[in-house]
Each structure stands twice: as structure tokens, then as C-alpha cells.
Amino acid sequence: MASAVAIIFFHSGMAVSVAAAAVVEQTFVVSQVNMTHLCKEALVTVVNGQHPGPAIEVTEGDSVAVLLVNKSPYNITIHWHGVKQWLNCWADGVPMVTQRPILPNHNFTYRFNIVGHEGTLWWHAHVPFLRATLHGALIIRPRHGASSYPFPKPHREVPIIVGDWWELDLPQVDWNMKHGSYDFFASGSTINGKLGDLFNCSGVPEDNYVLDVEPGKTYLLRVINAGLFPEFYLKIAGHKFTVVAADALYVSPYTTDVIAIAPGETVDALVVANAPPGRYYMVALPNQAPLPDTQTPEYTTRGMVRYSRNHSSGANGGAAALMSTHGAKEEEKDEGSSGDVAVAPEMPDHHDTITSFYFHSNLTSLHHPLVPQRVDEHLFIVLGLGSVCKHGRQSCKRGIKMRPSSLQT
Ligand SMILES: [Cu+2]
């Protein structure tokens, strides 16, 4: 459906290398469309007919104006996740708190400024659970252009949105959970809306998200977890990430072979296409807390990083050589038309939470803001969260679990 983007410059006389502050205008039409996955047609609420929804691309310092046209049967608001709404909470999109919901067949224009962020944020519906399908990237580039990134300018920037595929009526699921009925689960996981070939419909694999790369080039992945519940581990066989930003703040470059990303988080990471030309799986695995905490059905999804054929080195593409050096393993079932074998990464166990702990512990700000140097009183604060299942069960189901927590100072 129609989506209009207009950029109106306030200062046309500024130096060429400095982007003038602009108003980025976009139209979001919220409607329901039929989508078919796993042999089932589902009515999905989306923006502009897309899942994920359209990306908003701005320069730091710009203003954003989004006209939301609600053609869905639901009350809608949109939250601009992470945007500092200085003196502008009315655009924050919290229904019945900062605004009245936008009723079906009504419109509303969100206006806000992007100040003090560079990197990736995202937008999502703030009508509970509809955010699973109503979401998209909010990409914020530096005011002084891509050459002012605090890292080598990437060849290409690519949003990678991991999320869930739901066949259920999400507002109904939300209502059920609020009223004590918890046995509702997603049917799959997605990368940029694709379930990938670990899912199939009557034996026909679902489409993979495919990222085509050229050897030697650097790609900036703007990773967003738009899932409702799980934290994901993301890996690309044979490749490493250099994390450069999180939640639209630059971090000291951190090199890792796995990204841990919780719901709502964003991680910007550079990937250099420096493996032997071939095909490499990009895998997103939802993790969950060890027993006896709640266990829910979770699904691994995967896409593909594919080196351009022009640069292919032949039948095996050298991919198998990675097995010993990068901890990757051959995926024997998937042979490309040229006979090359796609390589799959070895993933953490889905109960492995320490990998997430180390990943997040290694993210430190690139810029160190001034903090008070004098401390009047030292406080030691302990936060605790535990799980005790009712009725002496060995594992907890949603809704029959006690979660004692503690805060001590
Ligand atoms: Cu949010």
C-alpha cells in the first residue's frame, strides 16, 4: 500500500557534508491482510501490508511526522521504542496514559524529534501483543554522514528483525492471558518475516531470508528482537560480529561469534564477508531459563548469508574448510544448485543463559559520560528473582508459578 516519505529541509545553505535537519514524513496504514505460512492462512495486522513494517530512516537531529491511518478493527497506538520524548510524551504512544487509542477508521499524526541517538531503534504497536506483527526499524544515522561513524564505513546496512509467527488472534491471546489462560504460543520464529527452511508446509520448506554479500565487504547488521517473549541467540556460521552499538548508543567495539538479544533490544554489529565464498546459515535460537522455570515451545529459525556467484571459488566454495577453524558444521541436507554445501553454526544450548550474561557484560559505552566523582554513601544493592512451582511440581507452567523476588540494600 501507499507509503509516502517526504523530506523537507530547513537549512539548504549548510555545508554539503552536514545533513540539514529535516522533517521525515511517512504514512502508516494499519490493516489486516491474509498471510499463509505452515499451510495455514492467518489474518495478520500489519503496517502498509508489510511484515515487518516499513523502516523509518532519519539523521540525528531530524523531526519525524508519521500519519497513522487505522483501517484495522483494533484500537491502535504506536510506541517509538527508545526515543527520548523530551517534553513530548504525548507522542510516546501509551494508550490511556499519553494518548487516547486511535480508533478504527480514525487517523492520528505522531510528531517527535530524534535527538541524542545514533544507531538503531524500532517502532511497535503499544496495543499489547499486536506488536508481534506491527513493528519496524527506526534507523538513525549521524548528522555528519556515514563517514563519521566511529567504525569503518560499511558497504551496506541491513536491518535484521527477529520475531515470532503467530497464527492466533493476538488481542484475544492478550485478553486470555490477562484472565488466567496461558496456553497460547507462537507457531514459529522469523528473520525479517521469513520462517526459514527449518519449517515446512507439507514437506515444502518455508522461504529463508537471504543476505547476499560480496567477498571482502563489510556489512552493518541492525539487529532488532521484535519477539514477544524470548531472548534470541544469533550466529552466522564461519563469521564473527563486531558489536558497535546497542539501543542506539555506541559501544566499544566487541568481537564475538554470538549476539544475545532480549525482546525490545537492538544491536548494531559489523560483519566482514571474509570467509571462503559459499553459503552460511544465519541462525536465531530462542533461549529460555533452565528448569524449573516456565518452559514454552520455542522454535529456531534460520536465514542465509550467500556469497555472490561472481566471486565463487568453485564446487565446494571452500565452505567445508571452515569446519575445524570456526566451529561450524556442514549441513548435509542443503545443497545449492552449484553443489556447494551450506554451513550451519553450532548454537548454544537453549537453556544456556551464561552466554547472554557474558555478551551483555561485555558491552561498554564508547563514550564515557561525566559522572560524579565524589561518593557520599556506598550502597550495595542485590536484585533477586527465583522460581518456585506450586504444588511441588518439578517444572512450572505459565500461571501456576510463584516468582518471589527481592530487593536488598
Ligand atoms: Cu517498546
Side-chain angles (χ1 to χ4, degrees):
M1 286 182 210
S3 169
V5 180
I7 297 183
I8 303 160
F9 290 97
F10 287 141
H11 308 289
S12 57
M14 295 181 75
V16 174
S17 61
V18 179
V23 177
V24 177
E25 296 184 340
Q26 206 145 330
T27 299
F28 281 11
V29 179
V30 180
S31 68
Q32 292 189 297
V33 298
N34 281 312
M35 291 186 178
T36 302
H37 289 294
L38 307 175
C39 295
K40 278 193 206 144
E41 195 173 71
L43 201 54
V44 184
T45 310
V46 294
V47 166
N48 296 355
Q50 301 170 228
H51 176 233
I56 299 176
E57 301 190 35
V58 302
T59 297
E60 196 274 335
D62 284 351
S63 297
V64 176
V66 175
L67 168 63
L68 188 138
V69 180
N70 186 7
K71 293 186 182 296
S72 83
Y74 305 117
N75 295 345
I76 299 288
T77 63
I78 299 288
H79 174 60
W80 315 94
H81 188 110
V83 173
K84 291 172 184 151
Q85 301 280 9
W86 302 114
L87 299 176
N88 192 42
C89 64
W90 319 114
D92 205 35
V94 186
M96 307 310 290
V97 177
T98 62
Q99 71 171 111
R100 285 181 294 179
I102 306 162
L103 302 178
N105 296 314
H106 284 67
N107 302 339
F108 181 83
T109 301
Y110 288 94
R111 298 180 194 279
F112 52 93
N113 301 322
I114 303 288
V115 179
H117 309 280
E118 288 181 19
T120 306
L121 294 174
W122 64 301
W123 57 264
H124 61 80
H126 214 295
V127 182
F129 287 13
L130 276 183
R131 73 176 188 275
T133 56
L134 278 173
H135 59 248
L138 173 51
I139 294 168
I140 307 163
R141 298 200 172 86
R143 195 182 299 213
H144 298 282
S147 58
S148 68
Y149 282 136
F151 46 81
K153 185 181 170 190
H155 172 63
R156 198 148 74 84
E157 303 180 12
V158 186
I160 300 289
I161 302 180
V162 293
D164 314 315
W165 172 247
W166 289 80
E167 294 168 338
L168 305 173
D169 178 54
L170 286 161
Q172 184 65 45
V173 172
D174 179 51
W175 191 92
N176 292 344
M177 288 196 180
K178 282 188 179 129
H179 292 80
S181 182
Y182 296 90
D183 286 332
F184 302 94
F185 307 104
S187 304
S189 304
T190 55
I191 297 176
N192 286 348
K194 308 262 192 192
L195 280 92
D197 63 355
L198 293 175
F199 298 89
N200 72 79
C201 166
S202 295
V204 179
E206 289 274 344
D207 286 344
N208 280 327
Y209 166 72
V210 177
L211 171 60
D212 284 311
V213 300
E214 293 178 36
K217 303 280 190 188
T218 300
Y219 296 80
L220 176 61
L221 306 190
R222 297 178 176 275
V223 187
I224 298 166
N225 181 353
L228 289 189
F229 300 114
E231 180 181 52
F232 280 89
Y233 288 135
L234 183 78
K235 291 185 79 170
I236 300 173
H239 294 76
K240 288 191 181 300
F241 303 103
T242 300
V243 178
V244 293
D247 295 334
L249 292 169
Y250 293 123
V251 299
S252 300
Y254 166 53
T255 300
T256 173
D257 65 354
V258 60
I259 287 173
I261 186 163
E265 266 192 305
T266 72
V267 171
D268 292 359
L270 299 171
V271 173
V272 182
N274 57 3
R279 297 181 306 131
Y280 301 88
Y281 281 116
M282 172 192 294
V283 178
L285 173 143
N287 69 20
Q288 54 185 319
L291 290 167
D293 209 331
T294 306
Q295 304 294 300
T296 56
E298 302 290 1
Y299 303 96
T300 300
T301 181
R302 66 184 183 185
M304 178 80 71
V305 171
R306 182 173 64 189
Y307 281 65
S308 59
R309 282 178 179 275
N310 295 344
H311 301 83
S312 175
S313 64
N316 285 327
L322 288 164
M323 287 176 62
S324 58
T325 55
H326 291 268
K329 61 183 179 186
E330 277 189 55
E331 181 63 43
E332 294 178 358
K333 288 179 186 165
D334 191 335
E335 293 209 3
S337 55
S338 64
D340 62 324
V341 178
V343 184
E346 286 186 6
M347 299 302 291
D349 185 85
H350 72 290
H351 282 137
D352 171 356
T353 50
I354 206 74
T355 295
S356 170
F357 173 79
Y358 279 115
F359 175 84
H360 288 101
S361 301
N362 276 307
L363 300 184
T364 56
S365 174
L366 181 63
H367 305 296
H368 298 283
L370 291 175
V371 295
Q373 299 295 305
R374 203 193 76 184
V375 175
D376 295 319
E377 190 171 351
H378 291 266
L379 299 175
F380 186 62
I381 298 175
V382 178
L383 289 170
L385 176 65
S387 294
V388 176
C389 305
K390 286 182 178 173
H391 316 305
R393 293 169 193 248
Q394 290 300 304
S395 65
C396 306
K397 281 180 74 178
R398 279 183 191 161
I400 57 169
K401 179 179 64 174
M402 294 168 61
R403 280 197 155 186
S405 58
S406 61
L407 171 62
Q408 298 175 337
T409 60

